[in-house]
Amino acid sequence: DGGITQSPKYLFRKEGQNVTLSCEQNLNHDAMYWYRQDPGQGLRLIYYSQIVNDFQKGDIAEGYSVSREKKESFPLTVTSAQKNPTAFYLCASSGSGFTDTQYFGPGTRLTVL
Amino acid sequence: AQSVAQPEDQVNVAEGNPLTVKCTYSVSGNPYLFWYVQYPNRGLQFLLKYITGDNLVKGSYGFEAEFNKSQTSFHLKKPSALVSDSALYFCAVRDPWGDSSYKLIFGSGTRLLVRP
């Protein structure tokens, strides 16, 4: 987990609220990613960014939004349009080469009340 | 379509015995392959990767994995399991020449339980 921080560790949301999950890295990585993890499933890509001020949708982007204003930061907003947001959210970062390894943060567990 | 299969939801092994966690993939060309481990309520930790070269890759904590192109497999192995190895293991593949070259595609995970 070293080098990538996520906050908060636990987050509770009421239905209809937007919430923002923080992800910061000090690894000087160009690329950053957001994944969602549900029990019994692998990780699914929500959004990714290969460079500052640019990002692309992953496989399950509906109901989520991101920004990449700084190289070290890639916040994820879970909007009220996301119908089933309860999950474990993982942020990752990597260098920009194809062989570069993705390193993960400790995760944020979001629960909708 | 690109995919990764981890055919066993759970693997049980006695401490001191060798362990194998299986992974097969469906990707055309020469993929890059990764193994990660996850402890409860934690992020994924990188164990090892295969890019090219020697088919046997050594990684962290005594783990190794063997790339077999003909069987499209990348099984994770350890000669002697520890109770502390009990965790959730994910195999992942990246197709650097495909349409989604940026993506890591993950298997559904295998829970390893090492009994004392």
Side-chain angles (χ1 to χ4, degrees):
Chain A
D1 296 349
I4 303 174
T5 58
Q6 291 186 242
S7 62
K9 186 174 177 65
Y10 297 97
L11 185 57
F12 298 91
R13 189 193 96 171
K14 294 181 180 179
E15 288 198 19
Q17 284 183 334
N18 293 353
V19 291
T20 297
L21 283 59
S22 170
C23 177
E24 304 275 336
Q25 54 99 0
N26 63 3
L27 302 170
N28 200 32
H29 283 162
D30 287 316
M32 297 187 74
Y33 310 81
W34 274 106
Y35 292 91
R36 171 179 171 142
Q37 184 179 17
D38 295 286
Q41 299 188 34
L43 279 65
R44 292 182 291 168
L45 183 65
I46 304 172
Y47 268 98
Y48 73 102
S49 169
Q50 293 179 298
I51 198 168
V52 175
N53 292 322
D54 187 48
F55 50 84
Q56 280 77 41
K57 293 181 179 180
D59 298 319
I60 56 165
E62 184 175 354
Y64 300 96
S65 65
V66 294
S67 63
R68 186 89 186 276
E69 298 176 0
K70 298 186 294 183
K71 185 175 184 177
E72 60 269 23
S73 178
F74 191 41
L76 173 74
T77 297
V78 184
T79 74
S80 57
Q82 170 49 239
K83 297 307 178 187
N84 185 21
T86 295
F88 192 49
Y89 291 87
L90 289 160
C91 177
S93 71
S94 74
S96 55
F98 285 133
T99 62
D100 288 346
T101 299
Q102 288 188 22
Y103 294 95
F104 285 79
T108 292
R109 185 166 299 280
L110 173 63
T111 302
V112 175
L113 302 174
Chain B
Q2 302 164 338
S3 64
V4 177
Q6 293 182 243
E8 301 155 316
D9 290 336
Q10 183 162 312
V11 170
N12 299 305
V13 64
E15 188 173 31
N17 283 0
L19 69 88
T20 299
V21 182
K22 295 179 180 178
C23 172
T24 59
Y25 64 89
S26 175
V27 171
S28 60
N30 298 314
Y32 300 155
L33 296 153
F34 302 80
W35 274 102
Y36 289 87
V37 61
Q38 185 180 35
Y39 295 95
N41 294 312
R42 301 287 298 275
L44 274 65
Q45 295 179 30
F46 169 70
L47 284 177
L48 51 82
K49 67 182 177 183
Y50 173 82
I51 302 299
T52 188
D54 192 345
N55 289 342
L56 185 64
V57 179
K58 294 187 182 298
S60 306
Y61 313 118
F63 284 94
E64 58 188 28
E66 186 168 11
F67 172 62
N68 187 318
K69 188 171 183 179
S70 63
Q71 297 186 5
T72 62
S73 67
F74 189 55
H75 301 332
L76 181 70
K77 300 180 180 183
K78 188 174 183 181
S80 178
L82 300 172
V83 172
S84 57
D85 292 331
S86 298
L88 185 59
Y89 290 80
F90 288 99
C91 180
V93 64
R94 187 176 192 181
D95 180 3
W97 291 276
D99 293 338
S100 302
S101 58
Y102 60 89
K103 280 182 64 174
L104 270 185
I105 301 166
F106 285 86
S108 56
T110 297
R111 189 164 302 281
L112 174 66
L113 182 60
V114 181
R115 59 185 185 277

